[in-house]
Amino acid sequence: MVDVGWYMGLAAALFMIGALGILLRRSALVMFMCIELMLNAVNLTLISAGRVLNDLNGQVAVFFILVVAAAEVVVGLAIIVAIFRRRATASVDELSELRG
Amino acid sequence: MVDLLWLVIALPLAGAVFLHFFGRYLREPLGGLLASLAIGGAFVVAVIAALPFFEGGEHGTVILLWQWMPAIGANLEILWDPLAAVMTLVVTGVGALIHVFAIGYMHGDGRFSRFFTYLNLFAASMLTLVLAGNYAMLFLGWELVGLCSYLLIGFWFTRPTAAAAAKKAFVVNRIGDLGFVVALMLVFTTFGTLSYSGIFERAGDQLTTGMATAIGLLILVGAAGKSAQIPLYVWLPDAMEGPTPVSALIHAATMVTAGVYVIARSAAIYDLSPVAQTTVATIGALTAIWAASIAIAQRDIKKVLAYSTVSQLGYMFLAVGTTAYVAGIFHLMTHAFFKALLFLGAGSVIHAMSDEQDMHKMGGLFKKMPTTAVTMGIATLAIAGIPPLAGFWSKDEILASVYARGGWFSFLWILGLVTALVTAFYMTRQWVLVFLGEPRWGEDKHPHESPRVMTVPLIVLALLAIVGGLINTPFFTTLEHFLEPSFELVSMQHPPEDGLLVLILAGLSVLAAVGGIAVAFVSYRRPRERWLDFEHGFGPLWGTWEAAYRVDDLYGATLVGPGRKAAELTAFGLDLKVIDGAVNGVGRLVRYAGDWTRTLQTGYVRNYGVLFLGGTLLIVIWLVAGGM
Amino acid sequence: MVETVLFILMAVGALAGAVTVVGARNTVYSAMGLLGTLFSVAVLYVVQLAHLVAAVQVIVYAGAVMTLFLFVIMLIGVDKSESIDERLPRQRLWVGGLAGVIIILAGWLTVSGEFVWVPAEEIPFDVEATNGGIQQVAEPLFTDWVLAFEATALLLTIAAAGAIALAHFRRVRS
């Protein structure tokens, strides 16, 4: 058996990589993928914790997160496409008019 | 009748209030008649209420009008004793005559009714002061007469000099009031009350000499402000900017006597402090001769009278400082008669000469206005101290009492005697310059005698100036008996017992008076060039007198100038730069903070992401630290 | 034994995929990296007896979502490479700083001994309770969490409607 800590560590690493990816990449699509990475890291954490605590609710929670993530991707990608039609760019840096 | 005494204050007050609201609807003489009736009514009430005092020995009653601040002994209460009665009769009697005179003098003025509003208000205030049964009510009246003085001096406020004079009067008065208020504080801490009945009887037990001296000197400060003594007399000559009835009423007969009254009323306190007494007397004597010397060289007919008033008030202070209270009040009364007469006469002259006030441009007016000339002549003789006119008896009683006191007061007696000579001189000079000699006025002036509404009060006052002195001669001491109950607790100075000494002293003062008259008559009953030579004969001294020793310039340089600079510094330096700067600075600070914070809103999602992550990190660290 | 090996293999795969997502210049490479990560994590789910979730992950996530991603990449431009320079000032500085802080924090937490590392042997493991088959997972879904279930169904419907509305916007305007 593998210690739970390893799983948590892996999840943490995945999460961190995803977070840094959001901050460093300009393309909206890649940022989205990094968000998916982070969500997966959280799912992994939940499953592992459910296993340690002998609780099935961890998996139930993951289920819901999966569904919501799917819905979010749908809408998010629709927005990106709509923006691309207007401005011919997928770069997040171009969308900076809400500034002080 | 005593319980109707409140009418004395209420009638002029009601007159003032009524005229304030409805005066503008009244045609011309109505407002003046109403005001004169109000004060005349007050006079009648006062006379009837004073009748019991004529038998002598009656002590006086306290009448409570309204409970104001009972805890500190300050209610609206009237103390009706002989001293209050004398003052009330003078104020209402002379005041009524002046009101009638003013109906004629203010004819044609655009604010006729408003003038009488103020006059009546002044009368009510002065009566409040005089009838008060405690120091608080006295102070109320004190401040109100100051206000009315301001309103009346500045009645023609469109003239910048008038507005400035009113302001000066108020400010100088204020300085005196500061001393007065501190005195009241000391009185309160010593006695626990401000009511006369709680103070004067216990004064002997509760006052130390030091405290009595302090209170006495501080009251003197207030009195010097109100009654124009050194060093706070400078407002009175400027106050001549007001209409002449104002000068007659306020600055001759009534308001300026408030200082003398307050010292006389506080006799029980002065009784315990020889130092305070001597100070009062010395200030009085010095003021008397100082002001008299200035009056010698004045060209304006009203300025002569103004400085004369300051000088005569000095006599009154000399008297009460010597504890010759009866003599002081006596002179107050006679002075009210002849000074009011002099001012009203001057008003008559000014009116006839179409507002000319420079005596060098008058002369030969006797034929044109005989009634005025004769009445003013009587007043001149009275003030000079020629028997048997009123001024002689009162002035002589003062001088005799001062001489009898001895010691330092002998020197003060000499000053008083010299002042009498000078007084006779400058008053005669004025009369001769105005009424005798060749006319020196231009073609545009048409002098004529004044209407009866103005000359009748002159005649009445002249009669009073003639017989008024007879109420307190060494042969018939009526006034002294009248006032005795008010002063029975204190030791009072009297003229010497020795009849011969009294006669010699009287002779000396008459000699001084006659001498002064003679010099003036001879010097000025000549063509113009001759008396100009006479004036120049005094050299630079004459100019110094004419410029009133340049005291105003001195005050201006030492007090007014620095005061104004301090005010400018505070207003433009402190208030504008520091306080406004701090407030504006806070505003600027907020704006800069806002500007800086604004830079955080870059519009770039990735920058916001950094902030997110950083914040989340902080929360994690905090949770971890909390869990440890 | 098996689990350990599988764990190491899948961990490497997941991390490699993640790094590819972040580091690749070509967007399609990023998508492929993500795919790899998803598959690795699905295997890890199976190892932990979460069978239904693993299956759903592969079918929905790797199957539908990634397909959607690839469609959009295609729409937007496959061959466009993102330029490497950073235009926002000091962004890399801040990120580097944050990353450093996080690494230090994690390291300190692990090493400091304030937190207890529980070895695997000491954890009670009940296969019955955590076996994530369809029936076992469906039970709580339709009883305890039925409200959330219905709500997420509604959410999906709204998301689909929203996507259609967004896609149609342009035509309505012109």
Side-chain angles (χ1 to χ4, degrees):
Chain A
M1 285 239 303
V2 179
D3 291 338
V4 156
W6 291 108
Y7 283 106
M8 300 290 190
L10 174 63
L14 282 176
F15 190 90
M16 269 312 305
I17 294 172
L20 288 177
I22 288 190
L23 299 181
L24 291 173
R25 291 298 298 257
R26 259 201 312 278
S27 167
L29 281 170
V30 175
M31 285 175 83
F32 237 101
M33 292 186 221
C34 298
I35 291 176
E36 298 308 316
L37 257 184
M38 291 200 285
L39 282 169
N40 269 284
V42 169
N43 288 348
L44 188 57
T45 310
L46 275 169
I47 299 276
S48 312
R51 180 177 160 202
V52 168
L53 297 172
N54 285 325
D55 193 345
L56 205 55
N57 285 323
Q59 296 185 19
V60 172
V62 168
F63 191 86
F64 281 124
I65 290 176
L66 275 174
V67 171
V68 172
E72 166 220 342
V73 164
V74 163
V75 176
L77 287 177
I79 292 176
I80 289 177
V81 168
I83 290 177
F84 182 77
R85 282 195 193 152
R86 292 271 260 148
R87 291 162 172 262
T89 177
S91 165
V92 150
D93 283 351
E94 299 295 320
L95 309 168
S96 59
E97 266 140 46
L98 220 57
R99 67 167 78 209
Chain B
M1 188 43 110
V2 163
D3 28 303
L4 286 181
L5 260 179
W6 58 273
L7 275 175
V8 173
I9 300 179
L11 278 172
L13 187 61
V17 170
F18 180 81
L19 284 172
H20 176 74
F21 288 111
F22 303 110
R24 74 188 74 181
Y25 306 116
L26 297 173
R27 272 181 310 113
E28 219 191 55
L30 278 180
L33 283 173
L34 191 68
S36 308
L37 276 175
I39 193 167
F43 177 70
V44 168
V45 172
V47 165
I48 300 176
L51 285 175
F53 292 137
F54 285 100
E55 278 99 58
E58 175 77 35
H59 276 227
T61 42
V62 176
I63 305 151
L64 180 64
L65 293 176
W66 188 55
Q67 285 220 327
W68 186 20
M69 298 186 271
I72 61 171
N75 296 315
L76 288 184
E77 54 187 348
I78 294 180
L79 173 63
W80 182 246
D81 73 340
L83 177 60
V86 170
M87 296 295 298
T88 308
L89 289 172
V90 169
V91 170
T92 51
V94 176
L97 290 169
I98 295 177
H99 273 70
V100 172
F101 181 90
I103 296 177
Y105 189 82
M106 299 301 286
H107 170 69
D109 192 290
R111 294 161 68 219
F112 183 86
S113 291
R114 172 128 321 222
F115 185 76
F116 285 96
T117 314
Y118 292 159
L119 270 192
N120 259 13
L121 182 64
F122 168 80
S125 314
M126 187 71 200
L127 290 164
T128 309
L129 194 161
V130 159
L131 288 171
N134 56 65
Y135 277 111
M137 191 171 161
L138 183 145
F139 191 62
L140 174 68
W142 187 273
E143 291 297 302
L144 281 173
V145 295
L147 170 70
C148 292
S149 174
Y150 169 84
L151 289 171
L152 284 163
I153 294 175
F155 188 71
W156 292 318
F157 54 80
T158 46
R159 278 223 301 252
T161 43
K167 195 169 57 169
K168 183 172 176 178
F170 199 81
V171 170
V172 175
N173 246 238
R174 245 347 184 179
I175 300 174
D177 291 349
L178 180 62
F180 194 69
V181 168
V182 177
L184 291 192
M185 290 183 205
L186 287 179
V187 165
F188 184 69
T189 51
T190 312
F191 294 97
T193 176
L194 290 172
S195 176
Y196 295 155
S197 52
I199 298 176
F200 298 141
E201 281 134 33
R202 295 152 50 194
D205 307 319
Q206 297 208 237
L207 265 185
T208 62
T209 315
M211 183 61 92
T213 310
I215 297 177
L217 289 176
L218 286 167
I219 290 183
L220 173 62
V221 171
K226 191 68 82 184
S227 299
Q229 298 295 291
I230 290 174
L232 298 172
Y233 68 89
V234 290
W235 62 272
L236 192 58
D238 284 40
M240 297 297 111
E241 292 280 341
T244 311
V246 172
S247 308
L249 181 61
I250 300 185
H251 307 126
T254 46
M255 185 185 96
V256 292
T257 56
V260 181
Y261 167 72
V262 107
I263 294 181
R265 180 56 88 196
S266 314
I269 298 176
Y270 282 94
D271 206 33
L272 294 152
S273 170
V275 173
Q277 291 170 7
T278 315
T279 314
V280 171
T282 312
I283 296 271
L286 284 175
T287 308
I289 186 136
W290 181 271
S293 64
I294 297 175
I296 294 176
Q298 296 301 311
R299 279 170 67 150
D300 184 325
I301 190 174
K302 283 177 73 172
K303 288 265 195 314
V304 174
L305 296 176
Y307 283 108
S308 169
T309 306
V310 176
S311 176
Q312 296 299 309
L313 286 167
Y315 266 115
M316 294 179 222
F317 271 68
L318 175 58
V320 294
T322 319
T323 68
Y325 298 110
V326 173
I329 300 292
F330 185 28
H331 196 63
L332 191 156
M333 204 176 81
T334 59
H335 174 263
F337 298 150
F338 52 70
K339 193 46 71 61
L341 173 54
L342 282 167
F343 266 111
L344 294 187
S348 180
V349 169
I350 294 170
H351 189 78
M353 292 289 285
S354 317
D355 296 329
E356 177 62 68
Q357 292 183 219
D358 185 352
M359 292 194 295
H360 282 204
K361 297 202 181 81
M362 297 180 187
L365 285 172
F366 193 102
K367 293 191 195 56
K368 299 283 181 184
M369 22 192 347
T371 319
T372 308
V374 167
T375 50
M376 278 194 79
I378 294 173
T380 306
L381 289 175
I383 193 174
I386 302 292
L389 297 168
F392 163 71
W393 302 107
S394 57
K395 191 183 292 191
D396 200 64
E397 186 170 343
I398 296 178
L399 289 175
S401 307
V402 174
Y403 183 84
R405 178 80 177 245
W408 168 253
F409 287 77
S410 305
F411 170 65
L412 298 180
W413 172 79
I414 296 178
L415 286 181
L417 196 60
V418 173
T419 309
L421 195 156
V422 176
T423 306
F425 171 80
Y426 69 68
M427 289 309 304
T428 314
R429 168 180 178 264
Q430 178 181 49
W431 194 81
V432 171
L433 275 177
V434 172
F435 292 110
L436 299 183
E438 288 302 313
R440 296 183 296 277
W441 25 275
E443 287 300 313
D444 50 328
K445 307 265 192 256
H446 309 287
H448 52 279
E449 186 57 84
S450 301
R452 274 229 302 276
V453 73
M454 288 166 75
T455 53
V456 165
L458 292 180
I459 296 172
V460 173
L461 284 171
L463 287 170
L464 285 171
I466 295 173
V467 303
L470 297 174
I471 64 170
N472 207 45
T473 66
F475 322 111
F476 298 106
T477 53
T478 320
L479 183 64
E480 176 145 353
H481 285 306
F482 190 89
L483 284 175
E484 213 161 51
S486 291
F487 293 106
E488 60 182 8
L489 293 174
V490 299
S491 53
M492 195 160 62
Q493 181 70 45
H494 292 102
E497 296 286 333
D498 183 3
L500 185 61
L501 185 57
V502 170
L503 209 57
I504 295 177
L505 292 172
L508 279 174
S509 53
V510 173
L511 207 60
V514 171
I517 294 177
V519 173
F521 207 82
V522 167
S523 307
Y524 283 88
R525 190 80 181 86
R526 298 190 224 172
R528 186 163 180 261
E529 308 74 39
R530 304 301 297 280
W531 49 258
L532 277 178
D533 286 338
F534 169 74
E535 291 181 1
H536 291 139
F538 284 88
L541 207 54
W542 194 266
T544 314
W545 287 333
E546 191 171 352
Y549 297 102
R550 302 202 173 86
V551 170
D552 277 322
D553 295 333
L554 179 69
Y555 284 173
T558 54
L559 297 171
V560 177
R564 181 165 294 146
K565 280 217 183 61
E568 274 173 22
L569 197 70
T570 313
F572 300 116
L574 183 66
D575 186 49
L576 202 63
K577 293 209 184 93
V578 175
I579 296 178
D580 277 1
V583 172
N584 291 346
V586 169
R588 249 182 283 126
L589 189 70
V590 171
R591 176 131 36 94
Y592 285 149
D595 272 345
W596 178 83
T597 317
R598 190 157 57 86
T599 58
L600 284 176
Q601 299 266 341
T602 55
Y604 295 121
V605 178
R606 299 199 281 137
N607 285 349
Y608 297 163
V610 170
L611 290 172
F612 266 48
L613 199 55
T616 313
L617 205 56
L618 281 173
I619 293 176
V620 166
I621 293 176
W622 183 63
L623 283 172
V624 164
M628 286 203 300
Chain C
M1 179 61 197
V2 176
E3 191 179 340
T4 319
V5 170
L6 266 177
F7 174 77
I8 293 174
L9 277 176
M10 293 301 120
V12 168
L15 285 170
V19 171
T20 313
V21 168
V22 176
R25 289 294 133 209
N26 194 327
T27 321
V28 179
Y29 290 173
S30 299
M32 292 300 108
L34 186 58
L35 210 53
T37 306
L38 288 173
F39 271 120
S40 311
V41 171
V43 173
L44 285 176
Y45 288 168
V46 172
V47 167
Q48 300 198 69
L49 305 178
H51 306 299
L52 177 63
V53 176
V56 170
Q57 164 115 339
V58 171
I59 295 172
V60 170
Y61 234 133
V65 170
M66 283 320 297
T67 312
L68 199 56
F69 257 109
L70 285 167
F71 268 126
V72 174
I73 291 173
M74 188 177 66
L75 268 174
I76 285 182
V78 175
D79 48 354
K80 277 197 199 140
S81 300
E82 201 172 301
S83 57
I84 203 169
D85 59 326
E86 175 62 71
R87 280 188 231 129
L88 296 181
R90 291 190 299 272
Q91 173 81 348
R92 294 208 174 145
L93 182 68
W94 279 107
V95 174
L98 274 174
V101 169
I102 290 171
I103 291 173
I104 291 173
L105 179 67
W108 175 80
L109 279 176
T110 319
V111 175
S112 71
E114 291 278 350
F115 293 92
V116 177
W117 183 274
V118 182
E121 292 75 31
E122 299 190 14
I123 300 173
F125 180 42
D126 186 356
V127 177
E128 280 289 325
T130 59
N131 196 345
I134 294 183
Q135 186 160 359
Q136 288 85 340
V137 174
E139 254 189 77
L141 261 186
F142 285 104
T143 53
D144 290 333
W145 308 112
V146 67
L147 191 60
F149 183 76
E150 301 300 334
T152 41
L154 189 62
L155 177 68
L156 277 175
T157 316
I158 294 172
I164 295 171
L166 277 168
H168 266 273
F169 243 129
R170 191 179 170 196
R171 254 189 256 155
V172 172
R173 272 159 148 257
S174 59

